[in-house]
Amino acid sequence: MLFSKLYAPTLKESPADSDIRSYELLIRGGFIRKISSGVYSYLPLGWRVIQKIESIVREEMEKIGSQELMLPIIHPAELWKMTGRWDDYGPELMKLKDRNGREFTLGPTHEEIVTYLMKNELRSYKQLPLSVFQIATKFRDEIRPRFGVLRAREFIMKDAYSFHPDYESLHETYEQFYIAYENITKRLGVKYVIVEADTGAIGGNVSHEFHVLAKNGEGKIFYCEKCGYAASDEKAISGETFSPNSNEPKKEMTKIDTGELKTIEEIADLLKLPKNKLIKSMVLKSKNDWVMALIRGDYELNLSKLRSLLKDQTLDFADPEEVYEKFGVNIGNIGPINVPNDVKIIADLSVKSVVNGVVGAMEEKMHYINATPLEDFKVDEFRDIRFVKEGEKCPHCDDVLKETRGIEIGQVFELGDKYSSKMKAYFMDEEGNQKPYIMGCYGWGVSRTLGAVIEQLNDEHGMLWPRSIAPFEVAIIPVTSANKEITKISEQIYDFLTKKGVEILIDDREVSAGVKFKDIDLIGIPLKIIIGKSYEEGNIELKLRYEEESTLIDCSDLELVYKEVLRKLDEYDPSQALKI
Ligand code: ATP
Ligand code: MG
């Protein structure tokens, strides 16, 4: 490809709305352009990378026998109502109406569509198991679209679905997808971690996420170096146990005036108590229920754990106005005493350790001190509903948990019969009984991968593409266009290597050598062939993206040039440029 003909509008300056390095580089490198919040166009360079990611994903899917198809992006509301997700999926579901007032959604995921599709087609156990996938556009009306393609509203996903006669068959296929996903991640050439994950709005019991390690990643991961346990923060548990301090005599619960002070920090300061003596009371509401969650002051509530515990994805924090209406007091003074009967009180396990603690008094400006759970107030259930912290005991061995950050690029789920039962998608088993399919689903964020790889692999000059998905493997840089000899040999090398199948961008633009070097490094081409000064002695320079020094080679034998190019490309490892 000639750079002079390539539509790659590179920019010197970062975009004003840049909130993360990968987004800045994608804009500056001319890979993408923003159309509106969370909606992007992919320009030729960006699209080349996307297509390479798609090819890797497609190959790994085909290797495990999954078949490609294409499902619609617009879904009739009735299908989503059948599974209850029309209401339960939440505001990310982009709802719309056609000219006749019929309701639809833009597909954020396709469990309903694919289950409906198979429902009347897969009738016998003889047709199972079966797995299908598509690579297509998804739409999620994200509350905070940000970080460019990492959290977009319109994005490209590979989604696969599998149908089984029983769990044994599901486990087998799940395992195959797990390995395929690991292969994809390895072929991308990035450092990654696989974690146990929460199943969220998709549902099911077993799930794993695949994360690209990146210091700016949104996903927090806890892991144990000794035994290999790893889980997302939403799911991570620890081996810590909690019981009341038996040496501390119980004191009488007393109401005190805490004035306008509301936060845990303010009240701990006022009472000169450590935060682990305070109990936070939080009010949550779902479609049908009220819940009060209690958590020790030095921990944070984990909403995902609470949602999966109650099997209710509609559960969320109640608005301050709703809380006032329900309890007659502001959220800062909410507490577990005098709670209406229809409010379930769930306390984190850590709350068990509190003796003579502090809770809101359900009265303006008032708190109780010396409040002890089960003695002074009722708790319906003690459960693990908190985020673990770095340094806590590993749940499986005697080591401690460490924390790191990643970007989720893929997730696999064992769904079971969640969708098939609700949609009455049955097959006939060997004994002639009607049974719902047992299903799995497997998502891969194709466009998120574009940003995630850059987020891990970049330096001060720009992107550092792994060879497998680089938009071009090699750039030829003739340092001047004024010297006919240089132009000629550049073209000869370009033609020769192109015929050999090397993907080359030749920078034939009428710009200074400095501009060429900057742009080629910005867009992260693994290898540069520089044709300049040393050509007077019959040499050209080969330089990997992160190398300071170039290798000089004689260019009279093009076969030799080709061999050297391959050798350098084999040696290329973009992570060498980084200290991660
Ligand atoms: P997240 O927790 O980051 O919101 P998710 O768990 O809701 O993602 P899944 O339903 O598991 O996402 O979707 C499968 C894959 O699709 C994700 O692993 C991710 O790579 C990609 N993906 C999800 N949401 C977005 C988004 N808003 N923009 C780009 N890619 C996304
Ligand atoms: Mg996910």
Side-chain angles (χ1 to χ4, degrees):
M1 167 63 87
L2 307 182
F3 207 144
S4 60
K5 301 271 185 297
L6 177 69
Y7 172 43
T10 57
L11 303 172
K12 279 207 198 78
E13 304 294 328
S14 314
D17 63 347
S18 166
D19 53 2
I20 200 162
R21 180 75 172 153
S22 54
Y23 175 60
E24 176 200 328
L25 291 176
L26 283 168
I27 296 286
R28 283 186 46 213
F31 281 55
I32 61 166
R33 286 293 179 260
K34 183 170 174 173
I35 294 296
S36 86
S37 170
V39 181
Y40 298 93
S41 300
Y42 302 96
L43 275 44
L45 283 176
W47 193 242
R48 281 181 79 92
V49 178
I50 293 273
Q51 283 181 313
K52 292 189 172 192
I53 298 167
E54 285 187 6
S55 298
I56 293 177
V57 171
R58 183 174 284 119
E59 278 171 31
E60 293 300 328
M61 291 297 97
E62 286 173 352
K63 255 194 228 166
I64 58 169
S66 196
Q67 296 169 56
E68 187 162 1
L69 46 57
M70 189 56 123
L71 302 166
I73 188 172
I74 194 138
H75 304 183
E78 299 89 77
L79 298 186
W80 283 73
K81 286 181 180 166
M82 280 165 104
T83 61
R85 288 210 295 182
W86 185 255
D87 296 322
D88 293 356
Y89 195 88
E92 283 180 20
L93 202 61
M94 179 81 171
K95 296 175 176 172
L96 40 139
K97 283 188 183 151
D98 72 3
R99 65 177 78 205
N100 300 316
R102 250 188 99 187
E103 290 177 304
F104 292 87
T105 177
L106 295 179
T109 176
H110 281 63
E111 286 77 15
E112 280 78 1
I113 295 292
V114 78
T115 309
Y116 181 76
L117 172 74
M118 298 296 171
K119 179 177 151 88
N120 298 312
E121 316 268 9
L122 288 181
R123 292 163 190 267
S124 159
Y125 70 94
K126 289 185 193 144
Q127 295 163 285
L128 302 174
L130 179 79
S131 107
V132 292
F133 76 97
Q134 63 169 346
I135 300 179
T137 298
K138 296 276 179 279
F139 196 96
R140 295 183 183 179
D141 200 1
E142 296 275 353
I143 178 166
R144 274 215 287 165
R146 54 190 176 150
F147 306 146
V149 295
L150 294 178
R151 187 162 297 287
R153 294 199 297 162
E154 184 179 305
F155 57 96
I156 306 168
M157 196 204 285
K158 184 285 300 174
D159 46 330
Y161 305 89
S162 67
F163 299 84
H164 307 270
D166 52 37
Y167 276 92
E168 205 187 328
S169 164
L170 169 63
H171 297 328
E172 260 172 42
T173 299
Y174 185 85
E175 180 74 24
Q176 287 173 349
F177 270 94
Y178 186 103
I179 293 168
Y181 271 36
E182 200 166 7
N183 288 342
I184 297 170
T185 327
K186 282 185 185 146
R187 288 178 65 180
L188 290 174
V190 283
K191 293 200 166 72
Y192 66 95
V193 57
I194 304 172
V195 302
E196 290 177 20
D198 181 62
T199 53
I202 306 282
N205 297 320
V206 180
S207 179
H208 288 89
E209 285 169 0
F210 293 71
H211 285 254
V212 168
L213 291 173
K215 60 180 185 303
N216 293 324
E218 273 191 288
K220 244 194 215 175
I221 293 160
F222 290 94
Y223 67 100
C224 171
E225 265 172 0
K226 190 166 168 190
C227 73
Y229 171 73
S232 70
D233 62 339
E234 292 177 339
K235 178 86 175 175
I237 53 173
S238 86
E240 300 291 323
T241 51
F242 301 95
S243 52
N245 177 0
S246 50
N247 298 329
E248 187 170 341
K250 166 84 184 98
K251 297 186 200 149
E252 196 181 331
M253 186 168 84
T254 319
K255 204 186 283 179
I256 56 156
D257 190 340
T258 44
E260 297 301 327
L261 303 184
K262 290 196 164 42
T263 66
I264 289 289
E265 284 75 21
E266 290 168 344
I267 292 170
D269 271 0
L270 172 79
L271 302 173
K272 303 209 166 26
L273 286 173
K275 287 203 280 187
N276 65 10
K277 278 284 188 193
L278 276 63
I279 297 173
K280 284 188 267 192
S281 310
M282 275 158 287
V283 179
L284 298 103
K285 208 183 142 204
S286 73
K287 237 177 13 181
N288 310 314
D289 299 307
W290 286 91
V291 174
M292 183 179 286
L294 306 182
I295 190 120
R296 218 171 68 177
D298 55 334
Y299 281 114
E300 296 298 330
L301 176 70
N302 185 332
L303 187 55
S304 303
K305 283 188 181 173
L306 194 55
R307 282 179 177 160
S308 80
L309 173 73
L310 297 172
K311 297 195 174 49
D312 190 346
Q313 293 296 320
T314 66
L315 192 74
D316 216 330
F317 294 101
D319 297 334
E321 300 77 47
E322 289 175 313
V323 173
Y324 191 84
E325 207 171 290
K326 176 88 180 161
F327 299 92
V329 62
N330 282 312
I331 47 172
N333 297 88
I334 285 288
I337 291 152
N338 293 331
V339 175
N341 279 338
D342 63 336
V343 180
K344 188 167 185 181
I345 303 182
I346 301 182
D348 181 63
L349 299 174
S350 61
V351 171
K352 275 189 188 168
S353 69
V354 181
V355 177
N356 301 324
V358 181
V359 295
M362 285 292 200
E363 225 177 276
E364 292 309 317
K365 302 186 177 173
M366 295 301 216
H367 277 80
Y368 282 114
I369 55 169
N370 301 329
T372 301
L374 299 182
E375 298 203 25
D376 298 309
F377 57 89
K378 158 190 107 148
V379 170
D380 292 310
E381 280 183 58
F382 283 98
R383 303 297 286 260
D384 176 1
I385 55 168
R386 70 194 155 80
F387 282 111
V388 301
K389 290 190 199 166
E390 183 159 34
E392 287 188 30
K393 269 195 219 141
C394 169
H396 300 311
C397 77
D398 57 5
D399 208 348
V400 292
L401 293 177
K402 292 206 163 136
E403 188 185 312
T404 187
R405 285 194 166 269
I407 301 167
E408 178 198 323
I409 48 174
Q411 186 167 10
V412 291
F413 302 81
E414 287 200 352
L415 295 172
D417 66 351
K418 171 171 170 177
Y419 295 90
S420 48
S421 284
K422 288 191 179 138
M423 298 184 82
K424 300 196 171 37
Y426 301 135
F427 70 99
M428 181 108 68
D429 75 2
E430 260 173 283
E431 279 84 47
N433 304 314
Q434 292 283 337
K435 284 192 178 155
Y437 311 128
I438 303 302
M439 291 171 54
C441 77
Y442 318 86
W444 187 280
V446 171
S447 50
R448 183 180 279 185
T449 302
L450 173 73
V453 172
I454 299 175
E455 211 42 57
Q456 181 178 102
L457 295 171
N458 74 78
D459 66 5
E460 70 271 29
H461 306 296
M463 310 172 189
L464 282 157
W465 286 110
R467 189 180 163 192
S468 61
I469 55 171
F472 295 93
E473 298 174 284
V474 174
I476 296 179
I477 305 182
V479 295
T480 167
S481 44
N483 181 329
K484 294 240 159 44
E485 288 296 305
I486 288 185
T487 309
K488 199 168 141 213
I489 186 73
S490 302
E491 284 170 5
Q492 278 173 1
I493 296 174
Y494 175 76
D495 288 343
F496 190 85
L497 294 183
T498 303
K499 282 203 189 91
K500 294 278 188 187
V502 182
E503 290 182 44
I504 310 178
L505 181 64
I506 178 165
D507 199 345
D508 61 334
R509 294 175 302 168
E510 301 272 340
V511 295
S512 73
V515 168
K516 292 184 184 183
F517 285 119
K518 276 214 168 66
D519 279 350
I520 295 296
D521 282 351
L522 172 64
I523 62 183
I525 310 287
L527 180 65
K528 292 186 282 284
I529 301 179
I530 304 155
I531 305 165
K533 268 203 218 100
S534 45
Y535 183 61
E536 284 167 25
E537 283 92 55
N539 290 327
I540 56 172
E541 297 171 48
L542 299 190
K543 201 171 180 184
L544 291 175
R545 167 66 176 73
Y546 46 81
E547 279 181 335
E548 300 275 326
E549 302 290 324
S550 26
T551 314
L552 283 184
I553 53 160
D554 178 354
C555 62
S556 53
D557 182 351
L558 291 183
E559 202 57 60
L560 203 83
V561 171
Y562 172 57
K563 276 203 189 108
E564 265 308 289
V565 163
L566 288 192
R567 195 186 61 75
K568 289 295 273 186
L569 283 174
D570 281 345
E571 185 191 311
Y572 177 68
D573 171 10
S575 69
Q576 278 196 10
L578 310 172
K579 298 151 220 90
I580 45 171

